[in-house]
Amino acid sequence: MNHPGKLFIISAPSGAGKSTLIRQVLKRFDTLSYSISHTTRSPRKNEVNGQDYFFITAQEFEEKIDQGDWLEWAKVHDHYYGTSKAFVNESLEKGQNLILDIDVQGAKQILDAGIKAVTIFIMAPSFDILAQRLKDRGTDTRAVIEKRLENARREIEQKELYQYCVVNDDLDEAIASMCRIFENEILNKESQ
Ligand code: 5GP
């Protein structure tokens, strides 16, 4: 029997190691796929259009707001980010489980709309470690890092919205915690 898929929302402040954890989880669960978001920010070095994000212009993004094409969207660090409603609906109908890597504003929109989702918040062990990781990453200017840290503070304050919180201190342990969540939630769905 083909069960409808389950939606997993994963949020984390920049630098918490979310992308690494998501990659590891995707490798381990073949019924799980990733919703590629659209954004108006410029691609970073090594980012590929259609793989990391769909990079579009602000005008294209705003047209899609008007057309009601977004399941959720938000302005994060001065750029638009959004999730395609059509893609999510089609995937879930096919029975595909889907990860949405979105910020707290987007997560709230989905929950407020009454859409069922498993919610996971990923944290760094401390704010200082988060700040250091962002600096070490070397992909952003100082001003951008400050903005991301300010945003991180606001997001961490709202982590109670999420069902699960994973602290990414030891990477292997964090991967194991994530896998336990996915295993339980996917199995749980199949027994329903
Ligand atoms: P980055 O620019 O570092 O790739 O992402 C910045 C933030 O935007 C992250 O917190 C990420 O989760 C969030 N984000 C990425 N895609 C989406 C989306 O489609 N919707 C929302 N609301 N946030 C997103």
Side-chain angles (χ1 to χ4, degrees):
M1 185 180 156
N2 197 15
H3 299 272
K6 212 167 197 177
L7 207 54
F8 292 85
I9 296 180
I10 304 188
S11 304
S14 303
K18 177 180 55 181
S19 309
T20 307
L21 289 176
I22 291 178
R23 258 198 313 276
Q24 292 298 325
V25 167
L26 283 169
K27 263 200 226 166
R28 289 166 169 79
F29 294 88
D30 55 8
T31 59
L32 193 58
S33 58
Y34 182 75
S35 161
I36 301 168
S37 290
H38 292 66
T39 183
T40 59
R41 82 152 163 74
S42 313
R44 297 194 184 111
K45 225 170 56 188
N46 302 329
E47 280 184 330
V48 178
N49 188 34
Q51 190 173 306
D52 298 285
Y53 281 104
F54 294 105
F55 296 97
I56 62 174
T57 64
Q59 191 187 339
E60 286 169 314
F61 198 101
E62 285 166 358
E63 278 167 15
K64 287 177 178 293
I65 296 177
D66 294 341
Q67 289 158 8
D69 288 350
W70 303 124
L71 179 68
E72 63 71 37
W73 66 272
K75 216 165 193 184
V76 190
H77 316 130
D78 295 336
H79 300 289
Y80 286 123
Y81 292 82
T83 303
S84 157
K85 194 187 281 177
F87 175 75
V88 170
N89 288 341
E90 278 163 28
S91 303
L92 295 181
E93 275 162 24
K94 276 192 263 174
Q96 190 72 43
N97 300 303
L98 205 56
I99 291 184
L100 303 190
D101 166 357
I102 62 177
D103 82 327
V104 176
Q105 305 173 72
K108 270 190 181 158
Q109 286 172 41
I110 290 184
L111 297 176
D112 288 349
I115 297 167
K116 267 175 71 179
V118 177
T119 52
I120 307 170
F121 193 85
I122 298 170
M123 301 254 291
S126 73
F127 197 78
D128 287 347
I129 292 178
L130 189 70
Q132 194 56 48
R133 284 185 188 166
L134 275 185
K135 285 173 197 151
D136 292 347
R137 190 159 84 174
T139 51
D140 300 304
T141 63
R142 210 166 139 174
V144 169
I145 290 175
E146 286 308 319
K147 191 163 273 200
R148 283 174 180 265
L149 286 174
E150 203 182 291
N151 202 44
R153 245 183 243 284
R154 274 201 305 274
E155 292 216 318
I156 292 167
E157 279 168 12
Q158 301 184 75
K159 68 175 192 301
E160 267 70 38
L161 284 173
Y162 291 74
Q163 283 164 270
Y164 297 98
C165 184
V166 173
V167 178
N168 185 9
D169 186 0
D170 177 272
L171 181 62
D172 289 336
E173 275 177 29
I175 294 171
S177 302
M178 293 283 284
C179 287
R180 273 195 299 275
I181 296 171
F182 279 89
E183 240 160 53
N184 288 335
E185 292 289 347
I186 291 173
L187 282 179
N188 184 10
K189 182 194 81 179
E190 282 170 358
S191 65
Q192 276 169 9

PDB file of all heavy atoms in Angstrom, residues 23 58 74-75 80 85 122 124 146-147 161 175 178 181 183-184 190-191:
ATOM      1  N   ARG A  23      22.773  15.758   4.960  1.00  0.00           N
ATOM      2  CA  ARG A  23      23.413  14.893   3.939  1.00  0.00           C
ATOM      3  C   ARG A  23      23.554  13.462   4.448  1.00  0.00           C
ATOM      4  O   ARG A  23      23.284  12.502   3.730  1.00  0.00           O
ATOM      5  CB  ARG A  23      24.803  15.446   3.588  1.00  0.00           C
ATOM      6  CG  ARG A  23      24.830  16.198   2.275  1.00  0.00           C
ATOM      7  CD  ARG A  23      26.233  16.356   1.720  1.00  0.00           C
ATOM      8  NE  ARG A  23      27.208  16.809   2.698  1.00  0.00           N
ATOM      9  CZ  ARG A  23      27.406  18.090   3.032  1.00  0.00           C
ATOM     10  NH1 ARG A  23      26.707  19.045   2.464  1.00  0.00           N
ATOM     11  NH2 ARG A  23      28.322  18.430   3.907  1.00  0.00           N
ATOM     12  N   ALA A  58      14.505  38.506  -7.446  1.00  0.00           N
ATOM     13  CA  ALA A  58      13.469  38.971  -6.515  1.00  0.00           C
ATOM     14  C   ALA A  58      12.140  39.135  -7.257  1.00  0.00           C
ATOM     15  O   ALA A  58      11.075  38.848  -6.718  1.00  0.00           O
ATOM     16  CB  ALA A  58      13.903  40.268  -5.865  1.00  0.00           C
ATOM     17  N   ALA A  74       9.956  33.147   3.335  1.00  0.00           N
ATOM     18  CA  ALA A  74      10.398  34.084   4.368  1.00  0.00           C
ATOM     19  C   ALA A  74      11.539  34.921   3.824  1.00  0.00           C
ATOM     20  O   ALA A  74      12.197  34.551   2.833  1.00  0.00           O
ATOM     21  CB  ALA A  74      10.869  33.317   5.598  1.00  0.00           C
ATOM     22  N   LYS A  75      11.749  36.044   4.475  1.00  0.00           N
ATOM     23  CA  LYS A  75      12.932  36.845   4.168  1.00  0.00           C
ATOM     24  C   LYS A  75      13.936  36.545   5.271  1.00  0.00           C
ATOM     25  O   LYS A  75      13.643  36.726   6.453  1.00  0.00           O
ATOM     26  CB  LYS A  75      12.574  38.330   4.149  1.00  0.00           C
ATOM     27  CG  LYS A  75      13.331  39.063   3.100  1.00  0.00           C
ATOM     28  CD  LYS A  75      12.755  40.428   2.817  1.00  0.00           C
ATOM     29  CE  LYS A  75      13.392  40.923   1.527  1.00  0.00           C
ATOM     30  NZ  LYS A  75      12.999  42.266   1.175  1.00  0.00           N
ATOM     31  N   TYR A  80      15.052  36.518  -0.039  1.00  0.00           N
ATOM     32  CA  TYR A  80      13.871  35.671  -0.005  1.00  0.00           C
ATOM     33  C   TYR A  80      14.280  34.199  -0.092  1.00  0.00           C
ATOM     34  O   TYR A  80      15.208  33.852  -0.834  1.00  0.00           O
ATOM     35  CB  TYR A  80      12.993  35.921  -1.236  1.00  0.00           C
ATOM     36  CG  TYR A  80      12.203  37.188  -1.253  1.00  0.00           C
ATOM     37  CD1 TYR A  80      12.352  38.098  -2.304  1.00  0.00           C
ATOM     38  CD2 TYR A  80      11.250  37.469  -0.273  1.00  0.00           C
ATOM     39  CE1 TYR A  80      11.587  39.258  -2.361  1.00  0.00           C
ATOM     40  CE2 TYR A  80      10.476  38.629  -0.328  1.00  0.00           C
ATOM     41  CZ  TYR A  80      10.658  39.514  -1.372  1.00  0.00           C
ATOM     42  OH  TYR A  80       9.894  40.644  -1.441  1.00  0.00           O
ATOM     43  N   LYS A  85       5.084  24.817  -3.310  1.00  0.00           N
ATOM     44  CA  LYS A  85       3.905  24.079  -2.863  1.00  0.00           C
ATOM     45  C   LYS A  85       3.687  22.848  -3.766  1.00  0.00           C
ATOM     46  O   LYS A  85       3.430  21.755  -3.283  1.00  0.00           O
ATOM     47  CB  LYS A  85       2.685  25.016  -2.961  1.00  0.00           C
ATOM     48  CG  LYS A  85       1.476  24.532  -2.246  1.00  0.00           C
ATOM     49  CD  LYS A  85       0.279  25.426  -2.524  1.00  0.00           C
ATOM     50  CE  LYS A  85       0.303  26.692  -1.699  1.00  0.00           C
ATOM     51  NZ  LYS A  85      -0.830  27.598  -2.022  1.00  0.00           N
ATOM     52  N   ILE A 122      18.237  21.922  15.237  1.00  0.00           N
ATOM     53  CA  ILE A 122      19.632  21.520  15.478  1.00  0.00           C
ATOM     54  C   ILE A 122      20.386  22.698  16.102  1.00  0.00           C
ATOM     55  O   ILE A 122      20.288  23.833  15.614  1.00  0.00           O
ATOM     56  CB  ILE A 122      20.311  21.081  14.161  1.00  0.00           C
ATOM     57  CG1 ILE A 122      19.575  19.856  13.602  1.00  0.00           C
ATOM     58  CG2 ILE A 122      21.780  20.748  14.402  1.00  0.00           C
ATOM     59  CD1 ILE A 122      20.003  19.491  12.203  1.00  0.00           C
ATOM     60  N   ALA A 124      24.134  24.188  17.963  1.00  0.00           N
ATOM     61  CA  ALA A 124      25.557  24.013  18.284  1.00  0.00           C
ATOM     62  C   ALA A 124      25.632  23.903  19.808  1.00  0.00           C
ATOM     63  O   ALA A 124      24.700  24.317  20.498  1.00  0.00           O
ATOM     64  CB  ALA A 124      26.338  25.207  17.782  1.00  0.00           C
ATOM     65  N   GLU A 146      27.781  38.724  11.422  1.00  0.00           N
ATOM     66  CA  GLU A 146      27.070  39.411  12.519  1.00  0.00           C
ATOM     67  C   GLU A 146      25.560  39.254  12.352  1.00  0.00           C
ATOM     68  O   GLU A 146      24.843  38.984  13.296  1.00  0.00           O
ATOM     69  CB  GLU A 146      27.428  40.906  12.546  1.00  0.00           C
ATOM     70  CG  GLU A 146      28.829  41.197  13.078  1.00  0.00           C
ATOM     71  CD  GLU A 146      29.086  40.547  14.434  1.00  0.00           C
ATOM     72  OE1 GLU A 146      28.182  40.570  15.289  1.00  0.00           O
ATOM     73  OE2 GLU A 146      30.188  39.992  14.632  1.00  0.00           O
ATOM     74  N   LYS A 147      25.108  39.448  11.127  1.00  0.00           N
ATOM     75  CA  LYS A 147      23.674  39.336  10.847  1.00  0.00           C
ATOM     76  C   LYS A 147      23.185  37.913  11.135  1.00  0.00           C
ATOM     77  O   LYS A 147      22.132  37.699  11.735  1.00  0.00           O
ATOM     78  CB  LYS A 147      23.438  39.685   9.369  1.00  0.00           C
ATOM     79  CG  LYS A 147      22.003  39.851   9.019  1.00  0.00           C
ATOM     80  CD  LYS A 147      21.843  40.580   7.716  1.00  0.00           C
ATOM     81  CE  LYS A 147      21.820  42.078   7.917  1.00  0.00           C
ATOM     82  NZ  LYS A 147      21.261  42.863   6.896  1.00  0.00           N
ATOM     83  N   LEU A 161       9.299  25.490  19.899  1.00  0.00           N
ATOM     84  CA  LEU A 161       8.285  25.164  18.892  1.00  0.00           C
ATOM     85  C   LEU A 161       8.484  23.767  18.310  1.00  0.00           C
ATOM     86  O   LEU A 161       7.584  23.202  17.704  1.00  0.00           O
ATOM     87  CB  LEU A 161       8.414  26.115  17.700  1.00  0.00           C
ATOM     88  CG  LEU A 161       7.920  27.539  17.801  1.00  0.00           C
ATOM     89  CD1 LEU A 161       8.332  28.303  16.562  1.00  0.00           C
ATOM     90  CD2 LEU A 161       6.399  27.485  17.914  1.00  0.00           C
ATOM     91  N   ILE A 175      24.617  12.477  14.319  1.00  0.00           N
ATOM     92  CA  ILE A 175      24.079  11.690  13.190  1.00  0.00           C
ATOM     93  C   ILE A 175      23.222  10.545  13.735  1.00  0.00           C
ATOM     94  O   ILE A 175      22.110  10.293  13.259  1.00  0.00           O
ATOM     95  CB  ILE A 175      25.213  11.123  12.296  1.00  0.00           C
ATOM     96  CG1 ILE A 175      25.966  12.264  11.603  1.00  0.00           C
ATOM     97  CG2 ILE A 175      24.663  10.152  11.253  1.00  0.00           C
ATOM     98  CD1 ILE A 175      27.239  11.838  10.876  1.00  0.00           C
ATOM     99  N   MET A 178      19.899  11.844  14.950  1.00  0.00           N
ATOM    100  CA  MET A 178      19.018  12.170  13.813  1.00  0.00           C
ATOM    101  C   MET A 178      18.431  10.882  13.229  1.00  0.00           C
ATOM    102  O   MET A 178      17.243  10.801  12.941  1.00  0.00           O
ATOM    103  CB  MET A 178      19.803  12.893  12.715  1.00  0.00           C
ATOM    104  CG  MET A 178      20.292  14.262  13.078  1.00  0.00           C
ATOM    105  SD  MET A 178      18.991  15.481  13.022  1.00  0.00           S
ATOM    106  CE  MET A 178      18.795  15.732  11.278  1.00  0.00           C
ATOM    107  N   ILE A 181      15.594   9.450  15.185  1.00  0.00           N
ATOM    108  CA  ILE A 181      14.339  10.202  14.984  1.00  0.00           C
ATOM    109  C   ILE A 181      13.676   9.763  13.679  1.00  0.00           C
ATOM    110  O   ILE A 181      12.489   9.440  13.634  1.00  0.00           O
ATOM    111  CB  ILE A 181      14.611  11.729  14.962  1.00  0.00           C
ATOM    112  CG1 ILE A 181      15.151  12.197  16.307  1.00  0.00           C
ATOM    113  CG2 ILE A 181      13.335  12.498  14.576  1.00  0.00           C
ATOM    114  CD1 ILE A 181      15.649  13.645  16.313  1.00  0.00           C
ATOM    115  N   GLU A 183      14.178   7.030  11.887  1.00  0.00           N
ATOM    116  CA  GLU A 183      13.759   5.627  11.933  1.00  0.00           C
ATOM    117  C   GLU A 183      12.401   5.512  12.619  1.00  0.00           C
ATOM    118  O   GLU A 183      11.469   4.916  12.082  1.00  0.00           O
ATOM    119  CB  GLU A 183      14.772   4.838  12.762  1.00  0.00           C
ATOM    120  CG  GLU A 183      15.456   3.734  12.010  1.00  0.00           C
ATOM    121  CD  GLU A 183      16.728   3.382  12.741  1.00  0.00           C
ATOM    122  OE1 GLU A 183      16.637   3.106  13.965  1.00  0.00           O
ATOM    123  OE2 GLU A 183      17.786   3.437  12.098  1.00  0.00           O
ATOM    124  N   ASN A 184      12.305   6.097  13.823  1.00  0.00           N
ATOM    125  CA  ASN A 184      11.061   6.004  14.592  1.00  0.00           C
ATOM    126  C   ASN A 184       9.901   6.633  13.857  1.00  0.00           C
ATOM    127  O   ASN A 184       8.821   6.069  13.779  1.00  0.00           O
ATOM    128  CB  ASN A 184      11.204   6.699  15.953  1.00  0.00           C
ATOM    129  CG  ASN A 184      12.086   5.892  16.870  1.00  0.00           C
ATOM    130  OD1 ASN A 184      12.196   4.676  16.709  1.00  0.00           O
ATOM    131  ND2 ASN A 184      12.729   6.550  17.816  1.00  0.00           N
ATOM    132  N   GLU A 190       4.570   3.933   8.968  1.00  0.00           N
ATOM    133  CA  GLU A 190       4.218   2.713   8.228  1.00  0.00           C
ATOM    134  C   GLU A 190       3.281   1.803   9.016  1.00  0.00           C
ATOM    135  O   GLU A 190       2.570   1.006   8.458  1.00  0.00           O
ATOM    136  CB  GLU A 190       5.497   1.986   7.797  1.00  0.00           C
ATOM    137  CG  GLU A 190       6.059   2.720   6.598  1.00  0.00           C
ATOM    138  CD  GLU A 190       7.443   2.278   6.202  1.00  0.00           C
ATOM    139  OE1 GLU A 190       8.017   1.421   6.857  1.00  0.00           O
ATOM    140  OE2 GLU A 190       7.951   2.847   5.216  1.00  0.00           O
ATOM    141  N   SER A 191       3.271   1.947  10.358  1.00  0.00           N
ATOM    142  CA  SER A 191       2.391   1.082  11.150  1.00  0.00           C
ATOM    143  C   SER A 191       1.010   1.699  11.328  1.00  0.00           C
ATOM    144  O   SER A 191       0.142   1.120  11.922  1.00  0.00           O
ATOM    145  CB  SER A 191       3.029   0.830  12.515  1.00  0.00           C
ATOM    146  OG  SER A 191       3.106   2.053  13.223  1.00  0.00           O
TER     147      SER A 191
END
